[in-house]
Each structure stands twice: as C-alpha cells, then as structure tokens.
Amino acid sequence: MTAMKRRYSASDVANAQFDKAVRFMHLPDDLVEYLRTPKRELTVNFPVLMDDGRMRMFTGYRIHHSTVKGPTKGGIRYHPDVTIDEVRALAMWMTWKCALMNIPYGGAKGGVQVDPKELSRNELRRLTRRYATEISILISPEGDVPAPDVGTNPQIMAWIMDTYSMHRGYSAPAVVTGKPISVGGSQGRIEATGTGVMFTTIEAMRHLGMEPGDTRVAVQGFGNVGSVAALRLWEQGCRVVAVSDVNGGIRNPRGLNVRDLMRHQAKSGTVVDYPDGERISNYEVLTADCDVLVPAALEGVIDEIVAPEVKARLIAEGANGPCTTEGEAILLERGVVFIPDILCNAGGVTVSYFEWVQDLQAFFWTEDEIVERLRRIMLENFHAVWDAALEKKIDMRTAAYTLAIGRVVDAVEARGIYP
Ligand code: NAD
C-alpha cells in the first residue's frame, strides 16, 4: 500500500493550492510566475562543537518567499526531515497567511536538519547561535523576523535574539518573536496559535450548526499548537476523544481531561502512557470517530490513503499543509469543510506581529488586550473567507488564497516592478 503512495513534496502541494486559486483570478501569466517564485534562498552548512569535543556538520536554510508587503516573517524548524523543498513551501504559505490576516509582512521560513532531542542543552545553544550567525545576513528587525516552529521554543528564540544583539552591540528584541517575556516577548504568544485554532473552529462549528457539548474532537500532535488547541476546545465544552504525539495516540470516547493530560505530558514527556485512555496508533487518531479533526503535527499526513477513512466533517488545520492535494480532493468530494492552515493557525503570526510592534515601541500590552485583538482579527478573516467561499462557490482554502493573493497583487501593482 505504501509503495503506491506518491512521493510527497510540500512545495508541490503549496504550488497546487496556489494554481487552483489563480484559476479563479484572471491574472496575467507573468504576474503568476512572479508571485509563486521565492525571492531568495539561503543554504548554510556549518560546524558545531559537540560535548565530546568532536565537530559535527549541520545544514540549515532561510528562505524569503516574498518581500512585497513588508519585512518577512516565518518560523524556524528544527527537525531531522527538514529539506529545502519543505522550507520553500512553508515560506510561501507564510506569504499568503500574512496577506490573508492583513498584517504587513512578506513570507519566510527557516530550518535546520537536526533532531533537537538528541542534543544536550549546550549543544543546542551552540547550534542555535551558529545558525543565527549564518543567517544573520538575512534577519533583522526591519528585514526578516523569525519565530518558533516545530522543534524550537522561546529559549531558542532568546538565544537568537542574544546572538544578533551581541553582533550589533545593542539589544534588538524585535529581531525575533516568540521570545520569553523577560526579553521582550508578548503575553499570550505561546498560546496564540492554539487559541486562534479554537476561535476559528468554534466559529465554523456555529456556522455548521454544531454545538460544543455534542462535538467530539481528535487532535494529532500535542505540542505548542495541538495541546493548546485541545485545551481551548475542551474549555469551550467540546469532548476531546483522541490525541497523539510522535510516540502514538490515546483514545477515550467519554472525553479526556485535557488539563490533566497536559500536566501528565509535562511530567512524562508523552501522552501515550496517560492512564485514563486506551493506547492507539497515530493513524487511528486521524481516523477516529469524531466530528472535528485538528491535525497539528507535520505536513502531508492526510493523504489519499488516510482521507477515505477520516470520519470528521470539519478539519481545522493547526499544522501547516497537513493535507496532500489528493487527500484534500477526496474529503472535499465528501463535503468535509476545511479551515485552511493559512487561516486556522494564523493566530501565531498575528500575536508575533503584536510582539514585534510592542518591541519596536518598547510599550507592552496586557494579555486581555492581546487575546481580544487576536479574537477580532481571527473572526474578521474567518468571515471574509467563509463569505468568499459561499459567494464564489469555492472551497474555503481556495477562497482564502484568492483573498490573500489579491492583497499581494494590490501591493505589487502599487509598488511597480523595479527598476
Ligand atoms: P511542536 O514541536 O511544539 O509540536 C509538534 C507535535 O507533533 C509534538 O507533539 C510531536 O510529538 C508531534 N509529532 C511530530 N511528529 C509526529 C508524527 N509523525 N505523528 C504524530 N505527531 C507527531 O510544534 P508546533 O509548534 O506545535 O507546530 C505544529 C504544527 O503547527 C507545524 O505544522 C507548524 O508549522 C504549525 N504551526 C506552528 C505555529 C507556532 O506558533 N508554533 C504557528 C503556525 C503553525
């Protein structure tokens, strides 16, 4: 069965989504070519001194997809499977996500091929400082502002901020977002992506006539995005019946106590040995008996093999690109509704934008202000996408893309083509 699967390329998926949307937009071919092409791509190969005294080579990337609408924004991923193709796709998704949310950024992404769990804290710090130095020709508060993604966290962002600041000779908190509060981080940033997933999911449920009390949710991935999305949906009264992490999944049809599960995971490092649930596989989480599925791990997990078995009628894409082109086609055919990644998980970049604005002004907002502004922006854009989908009779992702691409096109037209 696996042998029959198509080779997965995140860039192919990103390009297919883009191509599908531009078919509804009547744009000239040369402009389409410009919009889809990454502006610059940096590959860095660099040595890191390991604790045993030996040197090990690592490969990393930083890609700017578009700078048309402002400085570039996008996370940094530490994962053994990072490739330039993946970073390229993630950078393009950032362009559309920022444009859709109406925040004045272009799209970027970075990554290092590394399993951070295999490194000691000191090795991780040295790797981060070296990678930050290698990509320092691209990052700056005015030019390109990284943030956390899979495998990175506020501590790693603090090291990047410190490294950049040491090179400059003054502290530059606005060079990176998702930092700890003590060095210019924002209230609510850690929870922002998961909270945004909740806002859009509850709104979609309302439009689909689904009551939280009668709604069963399955969540794949229990990291920054998945755990908070699960918690927030549980707080809204939804029944979280299955969750997973890289080690596998657990199920409890009566509903998991998500707060307790988070405490358990913090102690044991995984969800799979949680006592109040039956152990299941990751595949069984994706195909669990549920009404809402929140994929919040990595790309390409809902493919043509998984899609026919998915039971959910609403998919809230916490992760970037969790669905392949073939998987999505199968689910759309069945009438499954998607909250597309560039909308669903945009809470993270939105509060990153708030963090950057606060850093530049050295004036900080309360958590209530952050969450309220986030709620307003998420709902405003949810409704824009929902209405565009209804009006043009297209799916939610294609509607989101047409809005986002249209905003970038407006900026291209206003700026003109240099020289
Ligand atoms: P994370 O590293 O905090 O968590 C990832 C989770 O996925 C972990 O629980 C891990 O165990 C699990 N996982 C990894 N491989 C898996 C597998 N094969 N099967 C099942 N689970 C697996 O990462 P994160 O920041 O929560 O990011 C998750 C997704 O959300 C990514 O697609 C990321 O690009 C996207 N995203 C993150 C943010 C953010 O603010 N952190 C914002 C927008 C989008």
Side-chain angles (χ1 to χ4, degrees), residues 77 79 90 97 109 148-151 189 193 220-226 244-246 265 282 296-299 318-320 345 348:
R77 178 172 293 192
H79 193 278
L90 289 161
K97 192 182 300 184
K109 203 79 182 190
D149 191 72
V150 175
R189 172 59 186 93
T193 310
Q220 187 211 25
F222 207 67
N224 178 276
V225 179
S244 66
D245 61 26
V246 69
Q265 189 224 24
N282 238 302
L298 293 170
E299 302 91 49
N320 287 307
N345 69 35

PDB file of all heavy atoms in Angstrom, residues 77 79 90 97 109 148-151 189 193 220-226 244-246 265 282 296-299 318-320 345 348, ligand 1:
ATOM      1  N   ARG A  77      12.344  25.879  12.017  1.00  0.00           N
ATOM      2  CA  ARG A  77      12.038  24.490  12.371  1.00  0.00           C
ATOM      3  C   ARG A  77      13.319  23.712  12.624  1.00  0.00           C
ATOM      4  O   ARG A  77      14.257  23.811  11.820  1.00  0.00           O
ATOM      5  CB  ARG A  77      11.240  23.857  11.221  1.00  0.00           C
ATOM      6  CG  ARG A  77      10.894  22.409  11.433  1.00  0.00           C
ATOM      7  CD  ARG A  77       9.943  21.894  10.373  1.00  0.00           C
ATOM      8  NE  ARG A  77       8.620  22.528  10.468  1.00  0.00           N
ATOM      9  CZ  ARG A  77       7.543  22.105   9.828  1.00  0.00           C
ATOM     10  NH1 ARG A  77       7.614  21.056   9.028  1.00  0.00           N
ATOM     11  NH2 ARG A  77       6.380  22.737   9.953  1.00  0.00           N
ATOM     12  N   HIS A  79      14.186  19.898  12.798  1.00  0.00           N
ATOM     13  CA  HIS A  79      13.614  18.551  12.623  1.00  0.00           C
ATOM     14  C   HIS A  79      14.548  17.784  11.689  1.00  0.00           C
ATOM     15  O   HIS A  79      15.075  18.365  10.736  1.00  0.00           O
ATOM     16  CB  HIS A  79      12.197  18.658  12.028  1.00  0.00           C
ATOM     17  CG  HIS A  79      11.422  17.376  12.090  1.00  0.00           C
ATOM     18  ND1 HIS A  79      11.572  16.364  11.173  1.00  0.00           N
ATOM     19  CD2 HIS A  79      10.495  16.936  12.986  1.00  0.00           C
ATOM     20  CE1 HIS A  79      10.777  15.349  11.491  1.00  0.00           C
ATOM     21  NE2 HIS A  79      10.117  15.679  12.586  1.00  0.00           N
ATOM     22  N   LEU A  90       6.839  26.172   3.153  1.00  0.00           N
ATOM     23  CA  LEU A  90       6.427  26.852   4.384  1.00  0.00           C
ATOM     24  C   LEU A  90       6.577  28.374   4.239  1.00  0.00           C
ATOM     25  O   LEU A  90       5.762  29.138   4.759  1.00  0.00           O
ATOM     26  CB  LEU A  90       7.243  26.323   5.576  1.00  0.00           C
ATOM     27  CG  LEU A  90       6.893  24.878   6.006  1.00  0.00           C
ATOM     28  CD1 LEU A  90       8.022  24.272   6.846  1.00  0.00           C
ATOM     29  CD2 LEU A  90       5.573  24.824   6.779  1.00  0.00           C
ATOM     30  N   LYS A  97      -0.475  33.626   4.327  1.00  0.00           N
ATOM     31  CA  LYS A  97      -1.053  33.747   5.675  1.00  0.00           C
ATOM     32  C   LYS A  97      -1.010  35.203   6.150  1.00  0.00           C
ATOM     33  O   LYS A  97      -2.003  35.738   6.634  1.00  0.00           O
ATOM     34  CB  LYS A  97      -0.257  32.845   6.635  1.00  0.00           C
ATOM     35  CG  LYS A  97      -0.900  32.653   7.984  1.00  0.00           C
ATOM     36  CD  LYS A  97      -0.033  31.781   8.895  1.00  0.00           C
ATOM     37  CE  LYS A  97       0.205  30.398   8.314  1.00  0.00           C
ATOM     38  NZ  LYS A  97       0.956  29.536   9.226  1.00  0.00           N
ATOM     39  N   LYS A 109      10.702  31.406   5.888  1.00  0.00           N
ATOM     40  CA  LYS A 109      10.784  30.250   6.791  1.00  0.00           C
ATOM     41  C   LYS A 109      12.235  29.831   6.891  1.00  0.00           C
ATOM     42  O   LYS A 109      13.034  30.089   5.974  1.00  0.00           O
ATOM     43  CB  LYS A 109       9.955  29.079   6.248  1.00  0.00           C
ATOM     44  CG  LYS A 109       9.523  28.099   7.318  1.00  0.00           C
ATOM     45  CD  LYS A 109       8.336  28.608   8.103  1.00  0.00           C
ATOM     46  CE  LYS A 109       7.917  27.663   9.196  1.00  0.00           C
ATOM     47  NZ  LYS A 109       6.622  28.072   9.776  1.00  0.00           N
ATOM     48  N   PRO A 148       9.234  30.803  16.518  1.00  0.00           N
ATOM     49  CA  PRO A 148       9.329  29.347  16.727  1.00  0.00           C
ATOM     50  C   PRO A 148       8.481  28.550  15.736  1.00  0.00           C
ATOM     51  O   PRO A 148       7.496  29.054  15.197  1.00  0.00           O
ATOM     52  CB  PRO A 148       8.777  29.137  18.143  1.00  0.00           C
ATOM     53  CG  PRO A 148       8.592  30.482  18.742  1.00  0.00           C
ATOM     54  CD  PRO A 148       8.498  31.459  17.625  1.00  0.00           C
ATOM     55  N   ASP A 149       8.875  27.323  15.514  1.00  0.00           N
ATOM     56  CA  ASP A 149       8.075  26.361  14.757  1.00  0.00           C
ATOM     57  C   ASP A 149       8.374  24.999  15.394  1.00  0.00           C
ATOM     58  O   ASP A 149       8.878  24.939  16.526  1.00  0.00           O
ATOM     59  CB  ASP A 149       8.427  26.406  13.260  1.00  0.00           C
ATOM     60  CG  ASP A 149       7.432  25.626  12.398  1.00  0.00           C
ATOM     61  OD1 ASP A 149       6.295  26.093  12.226  1.00  0.00           O
ATOM     62  OD2 ASP A 149       7.786  24.531  11.921  1.00  0.00           O
ATOM     63  N   VAL A 150       8.099  23.926  14.671  1.00  0.00           N
ATOM     64  CA  VAL A 150       8.332  22.585  15.212  1.00  0.00           C
ATOM     65  C   VAL A 150       9.779  22.461  15.699  1.00  0.00           C
ATOM     66  O   VAL A 150      10.714  22.795  14.974  1.00  0.00           O
ATOM     67  CB  VAL A 150       8.043  21.519  14.125  1.00  0.00           C
ATOM     68  CG1 VAL A 150       8.386  20.122  14.622  1.00  0.00           C
ATOM     69  CG2 VAL A 150       6.593  21.599  13.685  1.00  0.00           C
ATOM     70  N   GLY A 151       9.942  22.000  16.920  1.00  0.00           N
ATOM     71  CA  GLY A 151      11.276  21.710  17.457  1.00  0.00           C
ATOM     72  C   GLY A 151      12.012  22.922  18.008  1.00  0.00           C
ATOM     73  O   GLY A 151      13.131  22.784  18.502  1.00  0.00           O
ATOM     74  N   ARG A 189       1.668  34.873  23.548  1.00  0.00           N
ATOM     75  CA  ARG A 189       2.249  34.381  22.305  1.00  0.00           C
ATOM     76  C   ARG A 189       2.319  32.857  22.271  1.00  0.00           C
ATOM     77  O   ARG A 189       2.014  32.236  21.255  1.00  0.00           O
ATOM     78  CB  ARG A 189       3.657  34.978  22.078  1.00  0.00           C
ATOM     79  CG  ARG A 189       4.419  34.373  20.887  1.00  0.00           C
ATOM     80  CD  ARG A 189       3.658  34.558  19.568  1.00  0.00           C
ATOM     81  NE  ARG A 189       4.282  33.882  18.432  1.00  0.00           N
ATOM     82  CZ  ARG A 189       3.978  32.658  18.017  1.00  0.00           C
ATOM     83  NH1 ARG A 189       3.063  31.941  18.644  1.00  0.00           N
ATOM     84  NH2 ARG A 189       4.565  32.141  16.953  1.00  0.00           N
ATOM     85  N   THR A 193      -1.331  30.419  18.769  1.00  0.00           N
ATOM     86  CA  THR A 193      -1.733  29.610  17.615  1.00  0.00           C
ATOM     87  C   THR A 193      -2.902  28.701  17.994  1.00  0.00           C
ATOM     88  O   THR A 193      -3.915  28.644  17.289  1.00  0.00           O
ATOM     89  CB  THR A 193      -0.544  28.794  17.078  1.00  0.00           C
ATOM     90  OG1 THR A 193       0.563  29.683  16.902  1.00  0.00           O
ATOM     91  CG2 THR A 193      -0.875  28.148  15.753  1.00  0.00           C
ATOM     92  N   GLN A 220      -4.195  15.588  16.337  1.00  0.00           N
ATOM     93  CA  GLN A 220      -2.912  14.927  16.066  1.00  0.00           C
ATOM     94  C   GLN A 220      -1.783  15.899  16.351  1.00  0.00           C
ATOM     95  O   GLN A 220      -1.728  16.984  15.770  1.00  0.00           O
ATOM     96  CB  GLN A 220      -2.801  14.481  14.608  1.00  0.00           C
ATOM     97  CG  GLN A 220      -1.550  13.640  14.396  1.00  0.00           C
ATOM     98  CD  GLN A 220      -0.939  13.769  13.018  1.00  0.00           C
ATOM     99  OE1 GLN A 220      -1.103  14.765  12.340  1.00  0.00           O
ATOM    100  NE2 GLN A 220      -0.220  12.737  12.618  1.00  0.00           N
ATOM    101  N   GLY A 221      -0.851  15.511  17.238  1.00  0.00           N
ATOM    102  CA  GLY A 221       0.239  16.408  17.630  1.00  0.00           C
ATOM    103  C   GLY A 221      -0.158  17.092  18.924  1.00  0.00           C
ATOM    104  O   GLY A 221      -1.237  17.709  19.000  1.00  0.00           O
ATOM    105  N   PHE A 222       0.664  16.968  19.947  1.00  0.00           N
ATOM    106  CA  PHE A 222       0.315  17.567  21.241  1.00  0.00           C
ATOM    107  C   PHE A 222       1.445  18.485  21.673  1.00  0.00           C
ATOM    108  O   PHE A 222       1.900  18.477  22.810  1.00  0.00           O
ATOM    109  CB  PHE A 222       0.050  16.457  22.272  1.00  0.00           C
ATOM    110  CG  PHE A 222      -0.892  16.867  23.366  1.00  0.00           C
ATOM    111  CD1 PHE A 222      -2.234  17.120  23.087  1.00  0.00           C
ATOM    112  CD2 PHE A 222      -0.451  16.999  24.674  1.00  0.00           C
ATOM    113  CE1 PHE A 222      -3.108  17.499  24.107  1.00  0.00           C
ATOM    114  CE2 PHE A 222      -1.318  17.377  25.697  1.00  0.00           C
ATOM    115  CZ  PHE A 222      -2.640  17.624  25.420  1.00  0.00           C
ATOM    116  N   GLY A 223       1.926  19.298  20.721  1.00  0.00           N
ATOM    117  CA  GLY A 223       2.985  20.259  21.025  1.00  0.00           C
ATOM    118  C   GLY A 223       2.375  21.617  21.293  1.00  0.00           C
ATOM    119  O   GLY A 223       1.252  21.735  21.799  1.00  0.00           O
ATOM    120  N   ASN A 224       3.104  22.651  20.907  1.00  0.00           N
ATOM    121  CA  ASN A 224       2.653  24.020  21.174  1.00  0.00           C
ATOM    122  C   ASN A 224       1.243  24.259  20.616  1.00  0.00           C
ATOM    123  O   ASN A 224       0.369  24.766  21.305  1.00  0.00           O
ATOM    124  CB  ASN A 224       3.676  24.987  20.563  1.00  0.00           C
ATOM    125  CG  ASN A 224       3.254  26.420  20.766  1.00  0.00           C
ATOM    126  OD1 ASN A 224       2.471  26.946  19.984  1.00  0.00           O
ATOM    127  ND2 ASN A 224       3.732  27.044  21.807  1.00  0.00           N
ATOM    128  N   VAL A 225       1.027  23.874  19.381  1.00  0.00           N
ATOM    129  CA  VAL A 225      -0.263  24.160  18.737  1.00  0.00           C
ATOM    130  C   VAL A 225      -1.344  23.179  19.201  1.00  0.00           C
ATOM    131  O   VAL A 225      -2.417  23.578  19.656  1.00  0.00           O
ATOM    132  CB  VAL A 225      -0.128  24.110  17.195  1.00  0.00           C
ATOM    133  CG1 VAL A 225      -1.469  24.389  16.534  1.00  0.00           C
ATOM    134  CG2 VAL A 225       0.917  25.101  16.709  1.00  0.00           C
ATOM    135  N   GLY A 226      -1.058  21.882  19.092  1.00  0.00           N
ATOM    136  CA  GLY A 226      -2.074  20.865  19.356  1.00  0.00           C
ATOM    137  C   GLY A 226      -2.555  20.860  20.798  1.00  0.00           C
ATOM    138  O   GLY A 226      -3.767  20.752  21.049  1.00  0.00           O
ATOM    139  N   SER A 244      -2.661  12.583  19.924  1.00  0.00           N
ATOM    140  CA  SER A 244      -1.427  11.813  19.712  1.00  0.00           C
ATOM    141  C   SER A 244      -0.226  12.733  19.738  1.00  0.00           C
ATOM    142  O   SER A 244      -0.349  13.956  19.615  1.00  0.00           O
ATOM    143  CB  SER A 244      -1.464  11.094  18.362  1.00  0.00           C
ATOM    144  OG  SER A 244      -1.444  12.034  17.318  1.00  0.00           O
ATOM    145  N   ASP A 245       0.939  12.110  19.918  1.00  0.00           N
ATOM    146  CA  ASP A 245       2.204  12.811  19.662  1.00  0.00           C
ATOM    147  C   ASP A 245       3.069  11.866  18.841  1.00  0.00           C
ATOM    148  O   ASP A 245       2.568  10.848  18.335  1.00  0.00           O
ATOM    149  CB  ASP A 245       2.856  13.292  20.964  1.00  0.00           C
ATOM    150  CG  ASP A 245       3.207  12.151  21.909  1.00  0.00           C
ATOM    151  OD1 ASP A 245       3.419  11.017  21.423  1.00  0.00           O
ATOM    152  OD2 ASP A 245       3.268  12.383  23.126  1.00  0.00           O
ATOM    153  N   VAL A 246       4.349  12.166  18.732  1.00  0.00           N
ATOM    154  CA  VAL A 246       5.204  11.376  17.852  1.00  0.00           C
ATOM    155  C   VAL A 246       5.294   9.917  18.304  1.00  0.00           C
ATOM    156  O   VAL A 246       5.570   9.020  17.502  1.00  0.00           O
ATOM    157  CB  VAL A 246       6.601  12.045  17.739  1.00  0.00           C
ATOM    158  CG1 VAL A 246       7.362  11.955  19.048  1.00  0.00           C
ATOM    159  CG2 VAL A 246       7.398  11.483  16.581  1.00  0.00           C
ATOM    160  N   GLN A 265       1.682  15.062  30.441  1.00  0.00           N
ATOM    161  CA  GLN A 265       2.668  15.140  29.356  1.00  0.00           C
ATOM    162  C   GLN A 265       3.899  15.941  29.787  1.00  0.00           C
ATOM    163  O   GLN A 265       5.023  15.604  29.426  1.00  0.00           O
ATOM    164  CB  GLN A 265       2.033  15.773  28.117  1.00  0.00           C
ATOM    165  CG  GLN A 265       2.902  15.698  26.897  1.00  0.00           C
ATOM    166  CD  GLN A 265       2.925  17.012  26.140  1.00  0.00           C
ATOM    167  OE1 GLN A 265       2.664  18.077  26.722  1.00  0.00           O
ATOM    168  NE2 GLN A 265       3.217  16.947  24.879  1.00  0.00           N
ATOM    169  N   ASN A 282      -1.184   6.537  15.645  1.00  0.00           N
ATOM    170  CA  ASN A 282      -1.402   7.858  15.070  1.00  0.00           C
ATOM    171  C   ASN A 282      -2.460   7.825  13.967  1.00  0.00           C
ATOM    172  O   ASN A 282      -3.277   8.736  13.837  1.00  0.00           O
ATOM    173  CB  ASN A 282      -0.086   8.363  14.495  1.00  0.00           C
ATOM    174  CG  ASN A 282       0.285   9.666  15.141  1.00  0.00           C
ATOM    175  OD1 ASN A 282      -0.490  10.613  15.076  1.00  0.00           O
ATOM    176  ND2 ASN A 282       1.426   9.704  15.783  1.00  0.00           N
ATOM    177  N   ALA A 296      -2.228  18.749  13.967  1.00  0.00           N
ATOM    178  CA  ALA A 296      -1.356  19.807  14.499  1.00  0.00           C
ATOM    179  C   ALA A 296       0.065  19.278  14.676  1.00  0.00           C
ATOM    180  O   ALA A 296       0.736  19.568  15.665  1.00  0.00           O
ATOM    181  CB  ALA A 296      -1.914  20.341  15.814  1.00  0.00           C
ATOM    182  N   ALA A 297       0.506  18.451  13.702  1.00  0.00           N
ATOM    183  CA  ALA A 297       1.883  17.935  13.783  1.00  0.00           C
ATOM    184  C   ALA A 297       2.662  18.410  12.551  1.00  0.00           C
ATOM    185  O   ALA A 297       3.184  19.520  12.547  1.00  0.00           O
ATOM    186  CB  ALA A 297       1.877  16.421  13.909  1.00  0.00           C
ATOM    187  N   LEU A 298       2.688  17.575  11.508  1.00  0.00           N
ATOM    188  CA  LEU A 298       3.524  17.928  10.350  1.00  0.00           C
ATOM    189  C   LEU A 298       2.714  17.893   9.058  1.00  0.00           C
ATOM    190  O   LEU A 298       1.531  17.592   9.059  1.00  0.00           O
ATOM    191  CB  LEU A 298       4.714  16.971  10.260  1.00  0.00           C
ATOM    192  CG  LEU A 298       5.739  17.099  11.398  1.00  0.00           C
ATOM    193  CD1 LEU A 298       6.730  15.952  11.356  1.00  0.00           C
ATOM    194  CD2 LEU A 298       6.474  18.436  11.332  1.00  0.00           C
ATOM    195  N   GLU A 299       3.395  18.170   7.933  1.00  0.00           N
ATOM    196  CA  GLU A 299       2.725  18.210   6.632  1.00  0.00           C
ATOM    197  C   GLU A 299       2.375  16.805   6.132  1.00  0.00           C
ATOM    198  O   GLU A 299       3.011  15.822   6.515  1.00  0.00           O
ATOM    199  CB  GLU A 299       3.628  18.813   5.551  1.00  0.00           C
ATOM    200  CG  GLU A 299       4.136  20.198   5.798  1.00  0.00           C
ATOM    201  CD  GLU A 299       5.462  20.141   6.503  1.00  0.00           C
ATOM    202  OE1 GLU A 299       6.349  19.409   6.091  1.00  0.00           O
ATOM    203  OE2 GLU A 299       5.582  20.848   7.520  1.00  0.00           O
ATOM    204  N   GLY A 318      -4.425  22.993  12.209  1.00  0.00           N
ATOM    205  CA  GLY A 318      -3.460  23.592  13.131  1.00  0.00           C
ATOM    206  C   GLY A 318      -2.069  23.571  12.536  1.00  0.00           C
ATOM    207  O   GLY A 318      -1.299  24.531  12.623  1.00  0.00           O
ATOM    208  N   ALA A 319      -1.722  22.455  11.902  1.00  0.00           N
ATOM    209  CA  ALA A 319      -0.415  22.330  11.241  1.00  0.00           C
ATOM    210  C   ALA A 319      -0.436  23.069   9.912  1.00  0.00           C
ATOM    211  O   ALA A 319      -1.501  23.368   9.369  1.00  0.00           O
ATOM    212  CB  ALA A 319      -0.091  20.862  10.994  1.00  0.00           C
ATOM    213  N   ASN A 320       0.737  23.326   9.368  1.00  0.00           N
ATOM    214  CA  ASN A 320       0.851  23.849   8.008  1.00  0.00           C
ATOM    215  C   ASN A 320       0.848  22.676   7.034  1.00  0.00           C
ATOM    216  O   ASN A 320       1.613  21.725   7.206  1.00  0.00           O
ATOM    217  CB  ASN A 320       2.156  24.625   7.860  1.00  0.00           C
ATOM    218  CG  ASN A 320       2.093  25.964   8.575  1.00  0.00           C
ATOM    219  OD1 ASN A 320       1.176  26.752   8.350  1.00  0.00           O
ATOM    220  ND2 ASN A 320       3.054  26.220   9.450  1.00  0.00           N
ATOM    221  N   ASN A 345      -4.303  28.510  11.606  1.00  0.00           N
ATOM    222  CA  ASN A 345      -3.172  28.612  12.542  1.00  0.00           C
ATOM    223  C   ASN A 345      -2.504  29.998  12.504  1.00  0.00           C
ATOM    224  O   ASN A 345      -1.398  30.173  13.016  1.00  0.00           O
ATOM    225  CB  ASN A 345      -2.161  27.477  12.312  1.00  0.00           C
ATOM    226  CG  ASN A 345      -1.402  27.581  10.998  1.00  0.00           C
ATOM    227  OD1 ASN A 345      -1.083  28.677  10.528  1.00  0.00           O
ATOM    228  ND2 ASN A 345      -1.077  26.440  10.409  1.00  0.00           N
ATOM    229  N   GLY A 348      -0.753  32.492  15.545  1.00  0.00           N
ATOM    230  CA  GLY A 348       0.656  32.579  15.943  1.00  0.00           C
ATOM    231  C   GLY A 348       1.340  33.780  15.319  1.00  0.00           C
ATOM    232  O   GLY A 348       1.952  34.603  16.018  1.00  0.00           O
TER     233      GLY A 348
HETATM  234  P1  NAD B   1       5.872  21.292  18.359  1.00  0.00           P
HETATM  235  O1  NAD B   1       7.232  20.816  18.095  1.00  0.00           O
HETATM  236  O2  NAD B   1       5.583  22.088  19.582  1.00  0.00           O
HETATM  237  O3  NAD B   1       4.861  20.043  18.395  1.00  0.00           O
HETATM  238  C1  NAD B   1       4.766  19.101  17.369  1.00  0.00           C
HETATM  239  C2  NAD B   1       3.936  17.940  17.895  1.00  0.00           C
HETATM  240  O4  NAD B   1       3.744  16.988  16.859  1.00  0.00           O
HETATM  241  C3  NAD B   1       4.602  17.183  19.044  1.00  0.00           C
HETATM  242  O5  NAD B   1       3.592  16.756  19.961  1.00  0.00           O
HETATM  243  C4  NAD B   1       5.188  15.956  18.349  1.00  0.00           C
HETATM  244  O6  NAD B   1       5.333  14.850  19.237  1.00  0.00           O
HETATM  245  C5  NAD B   1       4.120  15.711  17.311  1.00  0.00           C
HETATM  246  N1  NAD B   1       4.572  14.911  16.179  1.00  0.00           N
HETATM  247  C6  NAD B   1       5.734  15.015  15.491  1.00  0.00           C
HETATM  248  N2  NAD B   1       5.780  14.079  14.535  1.00  0.00           N
HETATM  249  C7  NAD B   1       4.609  13.417  14.611  1.00  0.00           C
HETATM  250  C8  NAD B   1       4.057  12.325  13.913  1.00  0.00           C
HETATM  251  N3  NAD B   1       4.716  11.750  12.906  1.00  0.00           N
HETATM  252  N4  NAD B   1       2.831  11.907  14.269  1.00  0.00           N
HETATM  253  C9  NAD B   1       2.153  12.492  15.283  1.00  0.00           C
HETATM  254  N5  NAD B   1       2.638  13.511  15.987  1.00  0.00           N
HETATM  255  C10 NAD B   1       3.839  13.957  15.662  1.00  0.00           C
HETATM  256  O7  NAD B   1       5.402  22.078  17.041  1.00  0.00           O
HETATM  257  P2  NAD B   1       4.267  23.163  16.907  1.00  0.00           P
HETATM  258  O8  NAD B   1       4.873  24.491  17.069  1.00  0.00           O
HETATM  259  O9  NAD B   1       3.093  22.757  17.756  1.00  0.00           O
HETATM  260  O10 NAD B   1       3.897  23.015  15.365  1.00  0.00           O
HETATM  261  C11 NAD B   1       2.977  22.035  14.879  1.00  0.00           C
HETATM  262  C12 NAD B   1       2.478  22.449  13.513  1.00  0.00           C
HETATM  263  O11 NAD B   1       1.868  23.739  13.608  1.00  0.00           O
HETATM  264  C13 NAD B   1       3.539  22.610  12.420  1.00  0.00           C
HETATM  265  O12 NAD B   1       2.969  22.267  11.185  1.00  0.00           O
HETATM  266  C14 NAD B   1       3.858  24.082  12.454  1.00  0.00           C
HETATM  267  O13 NAD B   1       4.414  24.547  11.229  1.00  0.00           O
HETATM  268  C15 NAD B   1       2.477  24.628  12.684  1.00  0.00           C
HETATM  269  N6  NAD B   1       2.430  25.984  13.224  1.00  0.00           N
HETATM  270  C16 NAD B   1       3.051  26.310  14.376  1.00  0.00           C
HETATM  271  C17 NAD B   1       2.938  27.603  14.878  1.00  0.00           C
HETATM  272  C18 NAD B   1       3.526  28.011  16.199  1.00  0.00           C
HETATM  273  O14 NAD B   1       3.265  29.146  16.622  1.00  0.00           O
HETATM  274  N7  NAD B   1       4.272  27.186  16.892  1.00  0.00           N
HETATM  275  C19 NAD B   1       2.218  28.568  14.168  1.00  0.00           C
HETATM  276  C20 NAD B   1       1.586  28.201  12.987  1.00  0.00           C
HETATM  277  C21 NAD B   1       1.697  26.900  12.539  1.00  0.00           C
END
